[in-house]
Every structure is written in C-alpha cells, then in structure tokens.
Amino acid sequence: MDKRWKRWLLVVIGAALLLLFEGRPAYAMHIMEGFLPPLWAAFWFVVTLPFWVIGLRQINRLIAEKPETRLLLGLAGAFTFVLSALKIPSVTGSSSHPTGTGLGTILFGPMVMSVLGTIVLLFQALLLAHGGLTTLGANAFSMAVVGPLVAWGIWKGLKDRAPVWVTVFLAAALANLSTYVVTSVQLALAYPDAVGGFAASFVKFGTIFAVTQIPLAISEGILTVLIFNALQTNAETELQTLGVLKGA
C-alpha cells in the first residue's frame, strides 16, 4: 500500500485521539441522554435495527471477500468520529456539527455506514459524554441511516452525470443537512408546540439548526472532496476494488 495513503490514515487517527483526550466541556451530541420520552427512544431503536442487521452482514461479507479494504473501513470510521466530534451548541438538548458520513457511504454504501456511524455514536456517548445510550437509536437513525441514504442516492444518481468533485460535495453536504432535518422531526414529534403542534415545533427546531448547520454542511462538503481527491491519488487500487473508481 502506498506510504502516502498510510500517512493520511495516521493523520486522521491521530486527530481522533487528540479529540478523545482533549480536556474541555462536553455538550450533547445530537440528542442528549434522557432527553427523549421512553416510547420515542424505543421507537427509534426499532426503526434503526434492520439497518444494523443488514450492515453487519455486509461488513462481514466485505472483510471476507476483500480483506484489503479493512484500512479504508477504519479510515471511514475515524473520519466520521473526528468530524462529528466538532460540535457547536445549538437547540436545547442538541448541538450542530459535521457528520462525516458522506465519505464512508461513497466508499462502502449506506448499510455499512449505518454500522460505522453507530459505533462512532456509541464511543462518543461512552467516552466523551456526547449523545447518550437511550437516544442512540434516534441519533443513529438521523446520522447513520438517513444521512448515508441521502448521500448514496446522490452519489449513484450523479456520479456519471456530473464532475466527481461536485457529486462528492453534494453527497457529503446534503447528508449533513438531511441528518438535521430528521433530528428536527424527532424533536418535534417528541415535543410538539402547545399551539401549533408538530409543524410549528419542526419549524422552530429546523430554523435554529439552519443557522449553524448550513455553513457546516458546506465546509464538510469541501473537506470531503479534498479527502476523496487524496484517496484517488494514494489509494486508487482500493477504490477500484470497491467499485468506486473504474479500473484501467
């Protein structure tokens, strides 16, 4: 494997470790522990469970058939961990931040990313006090399920019709934005407005999120393009193995 590609992996992992051991106040990542009523918390676990089952099966098959892609799996997970740990306090009980799921979705598909994203959320809940265990299903559905599904649809729909960098940018940026649309839905369902009901609550949460999330989504799209370009240069063989790039 190319040495420059290994250096990229070490940089991302190193940044993740710096974030892990950095001493600073912790804000809730997505929806914080205990913030959702028990029935809604359980509902999102049930909705997300099938994606986890399918994703685990795909990961097992991938590792068995293409063991050389394991480092890319690690890179995708580390990238998600690093970006989603960069957070800006937003709505009460939640926060705004990049998600980092677009890159892994382009490389491995949405089902695999549902597992990687959930692992990231679990580690952050346990080690960084971001998010929570009772809200893991809700947070995983928004960031690790819906975001990757949106990214995958854009990647598949545009990769042969638009420049690669445009497709990668849109996949990453819109995966980010869709995550927060779903988070707004989840919060509005759990806490409808006393007068306007779900719709008024959704508008309120979505509007507050948009202030920070739109520039974050643009920034995430640009960063994902840069990382993808680096992978094209330094891990071309692996990308061809995964079918992301066409072989020579």
Side-chain angles (χ1 to χ4, degrees), residues 54-225:
I54 298 172
L56 284 170
R57 290 178 177 174
Q58 289 190 2
I59 289 174
N60 289 333
R61 189 184 314 120
L62 178 69
I63 292 175
E65 297 176 355
K66 302 174 182 177
E68 68 275 15
T69 62
R70 285 180 293 182
L71 280 178
L72 273 180
L73 271 172
L75 173 64
F79 184 73
T80 301
F81 181 91
V82 170
L83 287 198
S84 61
L86 303 173
K87 57 210 170 299
I88 300 173
S90 184
V91 182
T92 300
S94 190
S95 62
S96 290
H97 54 78
T99 63
T101 58
L103 180 66
T105 301
I106 290 170
L107 297 177
F108 299 106
M111 298 303 173
V112 169
M113 200 61 228
S114 72
V115 176
L116 294 182
T118 301
I119 292 173
V120 166
L121 290 165
L122 179 61
F123 270 84
Q124 289 181 343
L126 294 174
L127 301 179
L128 302 180
H130 303 161
L133 298 180
T134 61
T135 56
L136 181 63
N139 291 332
F141 184 77
S142 63
M143 190 182 95
V145 173
V146 174
L149 286 173
V150 169
W152 188 244
I154 293 170
W155 173 252
K156 284 296 186 180
L158 295 180
K159 68 175 184 177
D160 296 325
R161 303 178 184 179
V164 172
W165 72 268
V166 172
T167 306
V168 172
F169 173 84
L170 290 175
L174 294 181
N176 181 306
L177 290 177
S178 64
T179 293
Y180 283 91
V181 171
V182 174
T183 301
S184 298
V185 169
Q186 291 170 328
L187 292 172
L189 286 171
Y191 299 101
D193 185 79
V195 177
F198 166 80
S201 184
F202 171 75
V203 170
K204 177 182 70 175
F205 286 124
T207 301
I208 297 174
F209 273 134
V211 174
T212 52
Q213 208 57 40
I214 290 176
L216 281 175
I218 294 171
S219 300
E220 179 175 343
I222 294 172
L223 178 60
T224 304
V225 170

